[in-house]
Amino acid sequence: ASATVVTYWPASRGGFVWDDNTHLTADRSILDPAGLGKIWFVNGTNVQYQPMVFTSFWIEYRLWGSDVLGEFEPRGYHITNIMLHVTVALLSWFVLYRLRLPGAFIAALCFAVHPVHVESVAWITERKNVLCGVFYMLALLTYMRFRPLVKDEPIIKRRLWFYALATLLFVMALLSKTVTCSLPAVLLLLIWWKRERMGWRDLALLAPWFGAGIAAALNTAYLAKHRVGAVGEDWDLTFLESCLVGGRALWFYAAKLVWPVELIFVYPKWHIDTHAVWQYIYPAAALGVVVALWVLRKRLGRGPLVAVLIFAGTLLPALGFFKFYFMLFSFVADHFQYLASLGLIALVTAAGWRFAEAFGNRGRLVACAVSFIVIVSLALLTRRQTLLYADAETLYRATLEKNPDAWMAHNNLGLALINEGRLDEALAEYKESMRLNPDDADTLGDIGLIYARQAKPLSAIIYYRRALEVSPNHVNARYNLAFAFASIGKTDEAIVEYKNVLMVREAMPQAHNN
């Protein structure tokens, strides 16, 4: 716990970055004292249905959410994320220890200070990862109390209470982030590994969990399409293209765990070509590893196969087979492997520890020395990575240094510069974003906003109209177009556009007022 806090403490001084506005600072349900009921019972109130996450924000806003001027203070939210990650790391240690995995403490410590988790801890929006991780691990531990996986563990009296509690914790995990729907499959794999067989009783006990997970996944998919906007050619991958994305992503994530350098907030988006033979190497190699571990399971044991399947299965929602909004920018992101990473970390640690034990005390001493060097190196890399989340400008400039074609980073950097009044710099970033992605309505609309602030309403109108050509229902562009018309005395045109705004978003008081 101390090592994790010391490693991540620079993140507590960080600011707000991408999506923190939609998840927190501009979310009306967080600001509204009566918003808690909407968070839970009105689907679509928030950008995603994650009521546990938004409830935590709602509570924190009343504890330390704003200063005397009403401005949001990010420090409390960052510290909460750090402490939740500490809790996940400790619970991971307990889980691995209960599974009697060699090197359980080292594996949990590597998980705690690994740089790929900076995105999940230092980014307030990713509260969903660290919060769901707490409930995920608690549900797993509680189920193991209800139905011990290790054969010689004693059975606890009144164990049905543990099943009910585990089920409640699993639902809370689902209500934090839907990726936790993999937990019942993970439990079946652990049962197959430790007990060497699965019975109908195991399937029956976990059937309600599978049902809850599927329901949560369907709701998330619906919101991703109809609220978040994950529709269009960027998401319309064929099954074959999804296989190419998934195979490459698996190796990408494994490589970042082994060699966590050149971490980027937005990685370059791969060009998927079903006619390029070399792209089939990734899924073929991944499948080959699984087949090899299955064939060698009697010689190596079932553990390696289970670890690899848990890693791949937990990553499945982010492998391209399901639509998620971030696919617009990249097929991979560090925060997607927050829970999945523990599978490979545990496998590598256990294998190394078993190998060292073959050489007796000398081998254990060497293993401890190597572990110390690895953990300190990971912690230093992590601490340096947390500094990138100091503010939006720092994060996006660091992203563009490594991925200059990240149009989203240009876009968001431009918005950060607008908020600071640096309009000429912001315009340059938006023009570069438009060069890379000429048909993005947000970019066009924001360029219009810059011209409007520079008292160039005619130029602003040109870009608002271009934005509306790309996206006719873009509310902000149409609202700003109406405002621009009013500013140059074209009152009739302004009234028409304000009415068009209200046809799309009736409950917009500014449009009614104007």
Side-chain angles (χ1 to χ4, degrees), residues 196-331:
E196 300 182 353
R197 59 184 295 273
M198 284 187 293
W200 287 106
R201 180 176 173 81
D202 297 307
L203 294 173
L205 287 168
L206 292 173
W209 290 32
F210 278 108
I214 291 170
L218 290 174
N219 184 54
T220 298
Y222 175 83
L223 289 176
K225 180 178 180 181
H226 297 282
R227 182 165 178 81
V228 181
V231 290
E233 60 180 322
D234 289 293
W235 294 272
D236 291 337
L237 300 178
T238 66
F239 179 74
L240 185 57
E241 288 173 331
S242 296
C243 290
L244 295 180
V245 170
R248 188 168 177 178
L250 284 173
W251 289 107
F252 172 88
Y253 288 122
K256 289 300 179 186
L257 283 175
V258 175
W259 192 249
V261 296
E262 294 296 310
L263 302 181
I264 313 176
F265 186 65
V266 181
Y267 290 97
K269 189 173 182 178
W270 307 319
H271 174 65
I272 302 301
D273 184 2
T274 56
H275 300 291
V277 176
W278 66 270
Q279 295 196 16
Y280 291 86
I281 295 174
Y282 294 104
L287 184 60
V289 168
V290 173
V291 172
L293 291 175
W294 170 262
V295 172
L296 296 172
R297 68 189 184 282
K298 292 184 178 179
R299 186 173 180 179
L300 299 177
R302 298 183 178 188
L305 176 59
V306 167
V308 168
L309 290 177
I310 288 175
F311 173 71
T314 307
L315 274 172
L316 183 61
L319 293 182
F321 296 98
F322 304 95
K323 297 177 181 180
F324 55 92
Y325 185 72
F326 204 79
M327 289 171 65
L328 179 62
F329 317 114
S330 177
F331 290 122

Side-chain angles (χ1 to χ4, degrees), residues 261-264 266 268 385 388 397-404:
V261 296
E262 294 296 310
L263 302 181
I264 313 176
V266 181
Q385 190 74 10
L388 302 183
R397 290 200 185 280
T399 301
L400 291 169
E401 283 181 13
K402 298 174 182 176
N403 182 15

Side-chain angles (χ1 to χ4, degrees), residues 34-333:
L36 200 57
K38 297 176 183 177
I39 288 172
W40 279 91
F41 302 113
V42 181
N43 199 10
T45 295
N46 309 110
V47 65
Q48 294 170 317
Y49 186 69
Q50 295 166 339
M52 293 298 299
V53 174
F54 289 98
T55 296
S56 72
F57 288 151
W58 187 90
I59 293 171
E60 284 180 275
Y61 177 69
R62 275 135 196 91
L63 294 175
W64 50 67
S66 59
D67 58 18
V68 292
L69 299 177
E71 297 290 331
F72 273 83
E73 286 280 7
R75 190 175 180 86
Y77 303 96
H78 281 300
I79 293 175
T80 301
N81 271 21
I82 293 170
M83 299 314 298
L84 286 170
H85 179 60
V86 169
T87 307
V88 176
L90 288 170
L91 293 172
S92 301
W93 175 27
F94 301 158
V95 167
L96 298 178
Y97 178 78
R98 289 289 302 277
L99 292 172
R100 300 186 181 179
L101 201 75
F105 175 75
I106 301 300
L109 191 50
C110 285
F111 174 86
V113 300
H114 203 290
V116 299
H117 298 145
V118 171
E119 200 165 281
S120 296
V121 181
W123 184 11
I124 294 174
T125 290
E126 284 308 310
R127 166 69 57 81
K128 62 192 82 170
N129 266 354
V130 289
L131 186 61
C132 83
V134 170
F135 294 122
Y136 183 97
M137 294 299 171
L138 283 173
L140 181 54
L141 277 169
T142 308
Y143 192 89
M144 290 164 65
R145 294 281 288 180
F146 160 66
R147 197 160 170 77
L149 302 185
V150 180
K151 293 179 181 178
D152 58 351
E153 278 194 12
I155 296 177
I156 310 297
K157 291 182 178 180
R158 299 181 181 177
R159 54 182 184 159
L160 280 177
W161 287 103
F162 285 105
Y163 176 73
L165 179 58
T167 302
L168 175 62
L169 290 166
F170 173 61
V171 171
M172 294 170 78
L174 286 176
L175 295 176
S176 302
K177 191 173 183 179
T178 313
V179 71
T180 53
C181 65
S182 64
L183 181 54
V186 168
L187 275 166
L188 289 179
L189 285 170
L190 293 176
I191 291 168
W192 178 75
W193 170 35
K194 302 303 289 187
R195 291 208 227 118
E196 300 182 353
R197 59 184 295 273
M198 284 187 293
W200 287 106
R201 180 176 173 81
D202 297 307
L203 294 173
L205 287 168
L206 292 173
W209 290 32
F210 278 108
I214 291 170
L218 290 174
N219 184 54
T220 298
Y222 175 83
L223 289 176
K225 180 178 180 181
H226 297 282
R227 182 165 178 81
V228 181
V231 290
E233 60 180 322
D234 289 293
W235 294 272
D236 291 337
L237 300 178
T238 66
F239 179 74
L240 185 57
E241 288 173 331
S242 296
C243 290
L244 295 180
V245 170
R248 188 168 177 178
L250 284 173
W251 289 107
F252 172 88
Y253 288 122
K256 289 300 179 186
L257 283 175
V258 175
W259 192 249
V261 296
E262 294 296 310
L263 302 181
I264 313 176
F265 186 65
V266 181
Y267 290 97
K269 189 173 182 178
W270 307 319
H271 174 65
I272 302 301
D273 184 2
T274 56
H275 300 291
V277 176
W278 66 270
Q279 295 196 16
Y280 291 86
I281 295 174
Y282 294 104
L287 184 60
V289 168
V290 173
V291 172
L293 291 175
W294 170 262
V295 172
L296 296 172
R297 68 189 184 282
K298 292 184 178 179
R299 186 173 180 179
L300 299 177
R302 298 183 178 188
L305 176 59
V306 167
V308 168
L309 290 177
I310 288 175
F311 173 71
T314 307
L315 274 172
L316 183 61
L319 293 182
F321 296 98
F322 304 95
K323 297 177 181 180
F324 55 92
Y325 185 72
F326 204 79
M327 289 171 65
L328 179 62
F329 317 114
S330 177
F331 290 122
V332 289

